[in-house]
Amino acid sequence: MANEASARPDTESLILTGEPALEYQPLVDLASGRLLGFEALLRWRHPDEGMILPSLLLPWLEANGDIVQLGEWVLAEGCQQAASWPKNIQLAVNLSIVQLRRGVGSSAVAKALELSELEPDRLTIEVTEHALVEDVAMNDLRTIGGFGVELAVDDVGTSWTSFDVLRRMAVNTVKIDRSFVGSLEAHQGINRLVVETVVSLAHSEGISTVAEGVETSLQTSIVREFECDAAQGYFFAPPLPIETAASLANEPGYCFALEGVGWSERKDEEHAEATPVAHQPFTFGERTG
Ligand code: C2E
Ligand code: MG
Ligand code: MG
């Protein structure tokens, strides 16, 4: 907590001069390589510091409650962009435990869906396992599920998740944390077992699985061997600026290579086209207004 306190003034001054932005990381079907959709990831665009990552922003935003407003902006902006993509392309958005605890995650989702007219079944809300152990958060999550959006549990394996809870909360997808996926090659034993077990337990409950942080062709082939349904990671693509994401989304049936060279060796000429879409401005309301 001392770290959080000492990071406060820095983050606050960074935030007062920059503006929020989203990057979009592709989600890839492991049977076909097809682009399934994107996860929207929060950044803070600062004129001098460049793109600031959520690891610096989130502790501060969650501690002072600003995540509520910023989380609304993320949903509104992400849904607006996704509504302009072909209907088979999904969007995933992370929700903070703070939004759910305050019972305002559901109103933010409802508002974003209404304004963007995005079909609810094209939106996945990602939460961490902590959201599944607090009653108030679970109530808000149930309301969100009632809108017809999909629910995903993020970073699975890092904490304790009961498949009983996943079933009762009607979770659609579990995302296996990259700490397991990233070490599949080096550690043949326990991490393989975790990935394989999570996939088979999830499938036995009708829950789909995503491997996070896939960086190599070999990791891709291992998670395919375990019958993981989908993957995300630098091997396929890093989080992308909206222009690149939109150009992939608009390419009918876009497929990623499942073996051989990854994104970083192939990207240059392929995805230069930009497809700008109107941008939702953001202000912190009474904090900065
Ligand atoms: P996450 O939801 O698990 O998102 C995946 C993170 O893994 C992203 O980090 C992404 O850039 C990174 N990643 C993807 N592929 C690879 C890979 O192959 N190797 C490695 N080493 N990393 C990879 P990022 O963007 O820094 O986000 C970190 C976390 O911040 C997210 O983890 C999520 O929990 C949170 N977050 C991001 N955006 C939002 C948001 O809009 N709202 C909330 N509440 N949380 C957010
Ligand atoms: Mg996530
Ligand atoms: Mg994750």
Side-chain angles (χ1 to χ4, degrees):
M1 301 309 112
N3 277 349
E4 245 173 59
S6 60
R8 264 182 175 225
D10 278 341
T11 312
E12 180 158 25
S13 62
L14 288 173
I15 278 188
L16 288 175
T17 38
E19 59 170 3
L22 293 179
E23 289 188 322
Y24 297 83
Q25 188 175 34
L27 183 71
V28 180
D29 176 50
L30 279 175
S32 62
R34 197 168 59 78
L35 171 69
L36 296 172
F38 297 89
E39 177 175 6
L41 292 160
L42 178 64
R43 271 89 183 94
W44 196 268
R45 188 184 288 122
H46 189 272
D48 307 318
E49 307 292 327
M51 286 290 197
I52 299 165
L53 292 173
S55 51
L56 179 64
L57 299 170
L58 284 172
W60 186 82
L61 293 167
E62 288 186 335
N64 67 20
D66 279 344
I67 190 63
V68 169
Q69 262 179 290
L70 198 50
E72 273 189 27
W73 178 86
V74 169
L75 275 159
E77 170 70 14
C79 289
Q80 190 200 354
Q81 299 292 353
S84 72
W85 301 336
K87 292 197 186 305
N88 62 331
I89 303 292
Q90 299 286 125
L91 174 76
V93 174
N94 295 281
L95 228 60
S96 161
I97 182 78
V98 174
Q99 291 170 277
L100 296 170
R101 239 180 230 151
R102 294 190 182 190
V104 296
S106 52
S107 50
V109 172
K111 201 161 132 193
L113 288 172
E114 190 187 334
L115 286 175
S116 64
E117 298 181 6
L118 182 72
E119 298 82 353
D121 62 1
R122 290 181 58 202
L123 177 65
T124 298
I125 294 299
E126 296 193 7
V127 297
T128 59
E129 293 168 294
H130 305 290
L132 302 180
V133 292
E134 290 184 26
D135 286 342
V136 180
M138 282 162 82
N139 280 339
D140 204 35
L141 207 50
R142 277 193 202 94
T143 308
I144 292 172
F147 300 151
V149 305
E150 305 258 305
L151 294 184
V153 179
D154 217 340
D155 309 336
V156 161
T158 54
S159 144
W160 179 86
T161 306
S162 144
F163 273 82
D164 189 42
V165 174
L166 298 182
R167 187 188 318 117
R168 278 192 280 121
M169 291 301 292
V171 165
N172 304 92
T173 302
V174 293
K175 301 186 75 174
I176 303 168
D177 191 65
R178 72 166 187 263
S179 57
F180 298 99
V181 177
S183 51
L184 278 176
E185 294 158 14
H187 306 281
Q188 303 284 309
I190 188 73
N191 289 332
R192 280 184 178 235
L193 194 62
V194 170
V195 175
E196 201 172 10
T197 307
V198 170
V199 172
S200 83
L201 278 172
H203 285 173
S204 71
E205 298 290 347
I207 295 171
S208 77
T209 51
V210 177
E212 297 191 89
V214 172
E215 293 185 351
T216 66
S217 173
L218 180 55
Q219 287 166 9
T220 307
S221 69
I222 297 171
V223 294
R224 291 183 80 204
E225 192 188 307
F226 293 159
E227 298 184 353
C228 203
D229 301 291
Q232 232 178 294
Y234 298 165
F235 176 69
F236 298 108
L240 302 169
I242 180 58
E243 295 79 9
T244 316
S247 76
L248 293 186
N250 285 310
E251 202 169 310
Y254 185 87
C255 280
F256 291 84
L258 292 168
E259 48 196 32
V261 295
W263 172 272
S264 57
E265 288 98 335
R266 297 188 300 113
K267 66 161 200 272
D268 295 342
E269 325 79 56
E270 275 185 53
H271 316 297
E273 284 298 299
T275 314
V277 187
H279 181 78
Q280 293 265 355
F282 174 81
T283 54
F284 270 120
E286 65 276 10
R287 285 194 83 255
T288 53

